[in-house]
Amino acid sequence: MKVCVIGTGYVGLVTGVCLAEIGHNVICVDKDEKKISLLNIGKVPIYEQGLEEIVRKNRDSGNISFSRDVGYGIKNSDIIFISVGTPPLSTGKPDLSSLDEVAKLIGKSINGYKIVVNKSTVPIGTAKRIKKIIKENQDNDHSFDIVSNPEFLKEGEAVDDAFFPERLVIGSESKKAIDIMKELYGPIINQDFDYARANSHKKEKVPVLITDSTSSELIKYASNSFLASKISFINEIANLCERIGANILDVTYGMGLDTRIGTRFMKAGIGWGGSCFPKDVRALSYTAEEYGAGANILNAVIHVNNQQRFKVVQKAMDLLGIIDDKVIAVLGLSFKPNTNDTRETPSIAIINKFLELGAEVRVYDPVVKEYPSDMDKGAVMASDPYKASDKADLLVLVTEWDEFLNLDYGKIKKIMRSPNIIDGRNCLCKKSLTDMGFNYKGIGI
Ligand code: UGA
């Protein structure tokens, strides 16, 4: 099928590549000239394992192409995926200006029956909004249908999540569009394509939920908000563990043995960040309040998370007393491992607080090498974890990169001024570090 994907961020690019890999003809468009130039030479502008290889393969086979011309993409496709950003405004309400702009362009360029698919997370009611804008901008009477088809991929595991999804959700009021979407995703639903055969770890069919567009939009927000709630819940329990002398690792394990609870998204730490959870929980809370349904749980989930990252700062104060002039090494800038994404990363909030308190901060991350624009001036980007730790009074681990699990902590202890470690992700071994002479503090252990 002929597909156009508008917006080449995480969701758009991975969707485009996935559809190309299963045999469709895909044009990915983006107004960002730099991104398109990079993609045209087979380079991926984001750090995502395995993605570049599949982009190159499909670019070379002609299954995927990249363009800045949105009108060209629309005119030459039957199915148009919208994957542009909807960043939060200060109220929590998502900014829909990019989405509206795309809908206008679709209206102006429509040259035959089209299916317009909302792939990125869009506010509840967007399917109806897009439909109205396209109609208002049409100067012909070509028909089109709108589909809500949310994406559930995780950064760092995006390729596998796209190829081997746990479910597909297709929300539409049009039977014709639903049937075409099922056909489009046929190889994914049946797990019958080359990449699956080569990497198969799941052979069963992927469940497909057909629903109305509003329910589909809510499934996405409610899923992300539920996962964020699990994390905030377990973080609150971790904080209680510290007060009463319990161990959150055992508590989580014991809870998780009940399959109704499970252990996934139950890792206590410094809280959730990234481009999705913070935006989506806020947006759902905004919508729930706007419609008078109440958002008590969602607001508590946000509140707990906002406080959680600063537990690390409190622990630093407990260990060091006055922070002014202390040297603090921070390991990790990305909001989680295996991505270079620093959007809403707890790390930057923590670093900014240490800087405000007068600390000398040295930061090391395995892939983030550019100074993030929202990080206050003054932190030093260290070229390796040992340079970051040299004469440090405290080492704070904020992102659980594999590299940090295998550092030479004996060497680190020797070069630090005082052997203090705060493990914001409970990923290091408390016993061996304590045996080595470190003052180790985790979260709830
Ligand atoms: C999240 C969802 O997991 C995806 O299903 C969804 O498609 C995506 O948002 C999206 O809406 O686009 P992502 O933001 O890439 O994916 O990252 P996650 O792996 O979900 O992690 C989110 C945050 O939760 C990270 O800051 C992570 O460190 C934190 N987390 C996760 C914990 O603190 N504890 C856990 O047990 C798990």
Side-chain angles (χ1 to χ4, degrees):
M1 294 184 185
K2 287 156 83 181
V3 179
C4 167
V5 180
I6 305 176
T8 59
Y10 264 99
V11 169
L13 185 57
V14 176
T15 302
V17 171
C18 173
L19 292 171
E21 177 69 26
I22 61 171
H24 299 297
N25 201 298
V26 181
I27 307 169
C28 283
V29 290
D30 201 296
K31 59 182 179 188
D32 186 332
E33 193 175 348
K34 208 169 137 200
K35 271 191 189 172
I36 295 298
S37 315
L38 279 174
L39 288 164
N40 272 325
I41 55 165
K43 289 210 176 307
V44 168
I46 47 177
Y47 177 86
E48 188 63 49
Q49 272 167 1
L51 186 59
E52 198 157 89
E53 210 181 313
I54 313 176
V55 166
R56 284 197 189 154
K57 178 180 165 232
N58 284 280
R59 183 200 58 157
D60 295 347
S61 69
N63 276 12
I64 198 163
S65 60
F66 303 96
S67 167
R68 285 188 60 214
D69 188 344
V70 185
Y72 164 82
I74 295 166
K75 286 187 185 120
N76 288 287
S77 312
D78 304 315
I79 306 179
I80 301 154
F81 280 81
I82 309 181
S83 305
V84 295
T86 52
L89 296 166
S90 55
T91 53
K93 192 178 177 172
D95 178 358
L96 299 182
S97 49
S98 301
L99 201 75
D100 290 354
E101 195 52 39
V102 168
K104 277 184 202 157
L105 283 168
I106 295 175
K108 290 196 174 107
S109 313
I110 191 166
N111 58 344
Y113 174 72
K114 309 274 173 190
I115 296 180
V116 178
V117 188
N118 274 329
K119 190 69 176 161
S120 46
T121 309
V122 289
I124 297 166
T126 299
K128 295 188 174 89
R129 178 189 178 106
I130 297 281
K131 187 172 185 173
K132 187 165 163 269
I133 299 176
I134 296 177
K135 274 209 166 121
E136 282 167 2
N137 285 275
Q138 257 183 294
D139 57 10
N140 53 48
D141 56 4
H142 290 303
S143 66
F144 65 92
D145 284 310
I146 309 283
V147 172
S148 160
N149 170 224
E151 178 52 60
F152 300 100
L153 63 80
K154 301 182 285 303
E155 291 183 21
E157 295 164 60
V159 173
D160 269 14
D161 284 348
F163 283 128
F164 312 119
E166 290 191 336
R167 82 286 213 190
L168 282 175
V169 176
I170 301 174
S172 182
E173 279 59 48
S174 155
K175 176 158 184 335
K176 179 177 173 183
I178 290 168
D179 288 344
I180 296 175
M181 289 299 289
K182 282 207 249 176
E183 200 184 325
L184 178 83
Y185 279 123
I188 298 280
I189 296 169
N190 297 314
Q191 288 291 291
D192 185 17
F193 54 100
D194 287 348
Y195 188 91
R197 279 186 287 274
N199 299 275
S200 191
H201 43 91
K202 252 194 216 171
K203 291 211 165 58
E204 323 88 69
K205 275 192 162 194
V206 174
V208 183
L209 171 70
I210 305 297
T211 183
D212 60 276
S213 56
T214 309
S215 301
S216 171
E217 288 164 350
L218 184 53
I219 287 169
K220 174 66 194 183
Y221 278 107
S223 299
N224 272 2
S225 298
F226 187 79
L227 292 170
S229 308
K230 278 185 97 173
I231 302 167
S232 282
F233 179 89
I234 207 65
N235 281 337
E236 200 159 76
I237 300 295
N239 298 340
L240 176 61
C241 284
E242 289 181 5
R243 294 293 170 100
I244 59 175
N247 182 323
I248 191 64
L249 300 178
D250 289 346
V251 173
T252 312
Y253 183 66
M255 289 169 67
L257 288 173
D258 182 333
T259 51
R260 292 173 302 173
I261 299 173
T263 48
R264 296 184 73 192
F265 280 72
M266 290 277 275
K267 277 196 219 107
I270 51 175
W272 36 272
S275 64
C276 307
F277 284 3
K279 165 176 79 69
D280 295 350
V281 186
R282 278 206 294 267
L284 188 57
S285 155
Y286 183 90
T287 304
E289 282 179 348
E290 194 178 35
Y291 283 85
N296 300 326
I297 293 179
L298 296 170
N299 291 339
V301 166
I302 296 168
H303 181 68
V304 169
N305 195 56
N306 287 343
Q307 290 188 330
Q308 193 64 17
R309 53 194 59 177
F310 296 114
K311 296 275 172 210
V312 168
V313 178
Q314 190 54 55
K315 283 175 196 292
M317 289 172 175
D318 294 345
L319 282 167
L320 304 177
I322 301 291
I323 299 290
D324 193 28
D325 282 342
K326 295 286 188 323
V327 178
I328 300 180
V330 174
L331 298 186
L333 260 177
S334 56
F335 80 97
K336 65 172 190 174
N338 304 321
T339 175
N340 60 351
D341 199 338
T342 60
R343 283 176 288 178
E344 302 240 15
T345 173
S347 187
I348 291 181
I350 293 167
I351 290 167
N352 287 350
K353 190 69 197 171
F354 282 144
L355 288 170
E356 188 192 316
L357 291 168
E360 180 186 327
V361 180
R362 305 203 203 111
V363 198
Y364 169 77
D365 187 281
V367 299
V368 182
K369 298 297 174 196
E370 268 177 39
Y371 203 98
S373 59
D374 51 346
M375 191 158 89
D376 290 347
K377 297 288 159 268
V380 173
M381 300 282 280
S383 55
D384 71 55
Y386 303 100
K387 290 209 173 83
S389 314
D390 192 28
K391 299 193 183 57
D393 298 288
L394 169 68
L395 187 137
V396 183
L397 187 151
V398 289
T399 317
E400 65 278 35
W401 284 95
D402 277 352
E403 182 180 331
F404 301 153
L405 311 183
N406 304 311
L407 296 177
D408 181 348
Y409 283 97
K411 177 174 168 185
I412 289 183
K413 177 155 182 290
K414 277 197 201 122
I415 58 178
M416 284 180 77
R417 193 150 56 193
S418 327
N420 295 309
I421 289 194
I422 299 175
D423 176 1
R425 298 290 181 181
N426 292 345
C427 62
L428 302 175
C429 178
K430 177 180 180 176
K431 183 169 182 316
S432 54
L433 288 171
T434 310
D435 288 350
M436 285 167 83
F438 278 103
N439 297 321
Y440 172 96
K441 299 267 179 241
I443 308 286
I445 53 175

